[in-house]
Amino acid sequence: MATSLSTQCFRHLTTTLLPTSRSLTLSSFSQLENNDTNNTATSKPSVPFFPKRGQTVELVCESLAFKGKGLCKVTDTGFVVMCDRALPGERFIGRVTRRKGNYAEVTKVKTLTPPHHMVDAPCEYAPYCGGCKTQNLSYEAQLRAKEEQVRDLVVHVGKFSYQELELYGIMNPIVPCDIQFHYRNKMEFSFGTRKWVPKESLHETLDGAENYALGLHAPGFFDKVLNVDKCLLQTDPANKVLAAIQDCWRDPQLGFSPYDVHSHLGFLKHLMLRTGRDVTTGQPEVMVNFVTSSYKPNLLKFLVDKVSPFPEVVSVINNVNTSVGNTSVGEEEYTLYGKSSITETLRGLTFQISANSFFQTNTHQAEVLYKLIEECAGIKGDGSEVVLDLFCGTGTIGLTFARSVRHVYGYEVVPQAIADARLNAKINGIQNATFVQGDLNKIDENFGKNFPKPDIVISDPNRPGMHMKLIKFLLDLKAPRVVYVSCNPATCARDLDYLCHGVAEKNIKGCYKLTRLQPVDMFPHTPHIECVCILELH
């Protein structure tokens, strides 16, 4: 269960030709595993049946799939490959770079025919950065591609039919995001000793500080950083802070050294910028978090003095992380300026956000998402219902329900998240919410004895989805309604299959009926998709 379903789908790629009647996502091929590949031996392909590494082939991109990669087929054989940065409708030449099992990946060499919905990406880093892979595709086309991906996953992995989804109106059109840029309230940048440069600039020699970078890791490189002066996804106040730091930190007289992931030497590791809102004025609040390899407040003082004059900056934090890993969470945390946390409002509630606490990254769209979750939960509002909030994080979903129900019981594995949830309940004067720290992947027969049978279950797992132990618990619990919130439509489709259709090989029977499937675009220009599903006891 720990293995990502989308990773499993790579293994299930077969040499069956792509149907042309409907766009397919990569995971569609998981249902073709039992096809006899020898059946294609009678066909007469004009190129080798399985392209070899280094071979160039002409391709057409059919749709977007796992991690935003283009699902493409060789034009004269129909053989399926994956290509990063290929867009639906694009015809291009690709070079095979990787062959593993029965699938291949290619790198785009030359575009022959651009896609019809191609646009100019406004960000100068779009051709190189891995964050916004579809920025050069119109937003309308992005939405269609995401909606198709969810539909095909639910059909081919979830085992629901297209007719079922359409006839009963189960799947709704994707909810767009009204704000397509500057929507992220949190960005994490890395300091590095090796600046990533495009191929055409590799001949240039960079020495010392010229080779230093502050930005995002270049796709495929753990040790090279794409220098970024401005990110169009984060807020304007955060971009002002980033620019101020970029303007000075390389000065050799200041004594700063970026962390080297090879030698494990260096001081500056990460720069995390978080943006909230003052509860009283509604004005932006920015937290600047320097992650360093050791505690040297006197050394950081210059950078603190550089950013603290910005009126939006109300907090400067130093997380000290002495490990050799790449995490931005420190073993120790110090407040160097202002407050130790910032605030944000969501659905009428106030939330305290510390440097490492979880909070929805797109606050504007989180309002839309949480309103949708509330509608799907179908809460009566008379204070009679019990809500079980699984994977509750810092309690944001459960707390928005608390004033309308009898009690909320939230479970989460991260201790700091539970501490934040309890604090958020206290800040908002909510006393009918209980938050418990525990690993939902390791529940036993005693789980469920500490709370009454819920009327509504909210489940918002991380990308791997729900463990089979939790699936079995929910099937035995038989709560009248389950609202499944997912950030990974592949594992969501798998779990919907288990909850509705059961698992025959484990003699597990499903007991739920899928009545609504609602995709939501939380992060424009990225491959991420959120889904909200209603499951009614059947």
Side-chain angles (χ1 to χ4, degrees):
M1 292 293 293
T3 303
S4 165
L5 184 67
S6 298
T7 304
Q8 295 175 25
C9 295
F10 277 122
R11 297 200 300 267
H12 295 328
L13 273 172
T14 73
T15 50
T16 305
L17 301 186
L18 264 174
T20 57
S21 60
R22 184 182 291 272
S23 297
L24 294 179
T25 59
L26 176 62
S27 56
S28 302
F29 293 90
S30 62
Q31 302 306 308
L32 303 177
E33 182 178 19
N34 295 324
N35 285 6
D36 182 1
T37 56
N38 294 326
N39 290 341
T40 59
T42 57
S43 61
K44 298 179 180 180
S46 57
V47 297
F49 184 66
F50 201 120
K52 297 179 180 179
R53 184 175 180 180
Q55 180 180 347
T56 57
V57 289
E58 184 176 326
L59 299 152
V60 174
C61 181
E62 293 282 308
S63 61
L64 296 180
F66 181 54
K67 291 186 176 180
K69 292 187 177 183
L71 190 150
C72 314
K73 66 177 180 179
V74 180
T75 54
D76 45 6
T77 69
F79 180 81
V80 176
V81 298
M82 302 300 297
C83 181
D84 203 17
R85 298 187 183 277
L87 300 175
E90 182 177 7
R91 189 168 65 91
F92 64 99
I93 300 296
R95 178 177 291 110
V96 179
T97 57
R98 185 186 183 200
R99 172 179 172 177
K100 183 177 180 180
N102 52 0
Y103 79 92
E105 293 185 358
V106 303
T107 297
K108 190 193 302 182
V109 175
K110 178 184 178 182
T111 296
L112 301 176
T113 306
H116 177 65
H117 299 286
M118 190 172 183
V119 297
D120 292 330
C123 179
E124 61 179 298
Y125 308 109
Y128 318 114
C129 175
C132 303
K133 292 184 178 181
T134 56
Q135 208 181 101
N136 56 345
L137 189 65
S138 73
Y139 187 56
E140 292 74 16
Q142 292 180 39
L143 292 175
R144 285 196 298 273
K146 290 183 176 183
E147 191 175 304
E148 288 177 0
Q149 184 179 349
V150 172
R151 181 183 293 107
D152 288 326
L153 283 164
V154 173
V155 168
H156 295 281
V157 176
K159 300 175 184 176
F160 298 87
S161 68
Y162 289 113
Q163 294 78 10
E164 186 179 0
L165 295 179
E166 296 175 6
L167 180 62
Y168 298 105
I170 295 173
M171 182 164 174
N172 294 347
I174 189 169
V175 175
C177 184
D178 295 336
I179 302 174
Q180 282 109 52
F181 290 100
H182 304 297
Y183 58 78
R184 287 189 65 98
N185 57 38
K186 176 186 174 183
M187 285 291 295
E188 182 181 309
F189 302 98
S190 296
F191 291 92
T193 57
R194 304 185 184 192
K195 179 191 293 184
W196 182 92
V197 295
K199 289 182 179 179
E200 56 268 22
S201 302
L202 287 176
H203 65 282
E204 300 177 6
T205 302
L206 300 175
D207 297 320
E210 290 182 337
N211 204 25
Y212 291 170
L214 169 59
L216 303 170
H217 281 279
F221 294 93
F222 76 98
D223 58 350
K224 291 188 177 182
V225 175
L226 170 67
N227 196 71
V228 173
D229 294 317
K230 180 181 181 180
C231 177
L232 295 186
L233 293 192
Q234 74 174 352
T235 63
D236 284 330
N239 271 323
K240 291 177 183 177
V241 173
L242 174 62
I245 295 172
Q246 287 281 34
D247 185 55
C248 66
W249 77 275
R250 292 178 186 81
D251 187 341
Q253 295 184 4
L254 298 177
F256 293 119
S257 58
Y259 187 74
D260 189 317
V261 294
H262 293 282
S263 67
H264 307 304
L265 300 175
F267 178 62
L268 295 171
K269 284 190 168 184
H270 302 285
L271 169 67
M272 183 189 295
L273 301 175
R274 306 194 73 153
T275 306
R277 284 180 292 179
D278 183 276
V279 178
T280 305
T281 66
Q283 294 301 306
E285 289 188 334
V286 174
M287 171 187 284
V288 182
N289 179 15
F290 294 104
V291 182
T292 60
S293 60
S294 58
Y295 182 52
K296 298 179 180 179
N298 291 333
L299 181 58
L300 275 179
K301 186 177 185 304
F302 181 88
L303 293 180
V304 175
D305 292 342
K306 185 77 173 179
V307 301
S308 57
F310 286 97
E312 299 92 346
V313 174
V314 299
S315 173
V316 180
I317 303 295
N318 178 203
N319 265 249
V320 179
N321 180 0
T322 61
S323 70
V324 297
N326 199 33
T327 179
S328 60
V329 179
E331 301 107 16
E332 298 176 350
E333 182 174 304
Y334 302 91
T335 301
L336 303 181
Y337 169 81
K339 306 185 295 182
S340 62
S341 63
I342 56 177
T343 56
E344 183 56 278
T345 56
L346 187 61
R347 301 291 290 161
L349 299 178
T350 300
F351 293 92
Q352 292 275 11
I353 305 172
S354 58
N356 297 307
S357 64
F358 171 80
F359 192 78
Q360 284 286 349
T361 313
N362 184 343
T363 309
H364 171 82
Q365 197 70 341
E367 288 275 359
V368 176
L369 177 68
Y370 285 16
K371 182 179 180 181
L372 177 62
I373 295 171
E374 188 173 352
E375 292 174 357
C376 291
I379 293 174
K380 297 176 183 178
D382 59 2
S384 64
E385 296 165 300
V386 173
V387 174
L388 177 61
D389 187 6
L390 302 175
F391 309 96
C392 66
T394 56
T396 48
I397 295 178
L399 290 175
T400 59
F401 293 165
R403 291 172 179 169
S404 302
V405 302
R406 179 155 59 97
H407 206 94
V408 173
Y409 295 88
Y411 285 81
E412 169 63 49
V413 67
V414 182
Q416 184 58 49
I418 289 296
D420 287 342
R422 292 169 179 167
L423 175 61
N424 289 329
K426 183 178 180 180
I427 290 171
N428 291 281
I430 295 173
Q431 298 179 338
N432 61 331
T434 301
F435 295 103
V436 181
Q437 191 270 327
D439 191 345
L440 291 168
N441 292 330
K442 298 178 180 178
I443 60 174
D444 56 24
E445 61 277 3
N446 293 317
F447 184 70
K449 293 182 179 180
N450 295 324
F451 53 83
K453 181 176 179 178
D455 302 283
I456 302 162
V457 174
I458 309 292
S459 183
D460 187 9
N462 53 14
R463 293 192 63 80
M466 295 194 295
H467 194 278
M468 185 58 73
K469 289 181 179 179
L470 186 57
I471 295 281
K472 292 171 69 175
F473 168 79
L474 291 177
L475 290 174
D476 291 336
L477 181 67
K478 290 183 171 58
R481 175 171 288 199
V482 174
V483 180
Y484 191 120
V485 186
S486 170
C487 61
N488 183 351
T491 52
C492 175
R494 177 204 63 199
D495 292 348
L496 292 178
D497 176 36
Y498 293 162
L499 290 167
C500 295
H501 308 135
V503 187
E505 58 269 27
K506 295 182 180 292
N507 198 30
I508 298 174
K509 294 183 179 180
C511 66
Y512 283 98
K513 180 181 180 181
L514 178 64
T515 60
R516 183 176 178 182
L517 172 62
Q518 179 65 71
V520 180
D521 187 24
M522 293 292 292
F523 307 108
H525 314 299
T526 78
H528 303 295
I529 313 170
E530 202 89 9
C531 291
V532 181
C533 313
I534 302 177
L535 295 167
E536 303 277 2
L537 194 61
H538 189 48

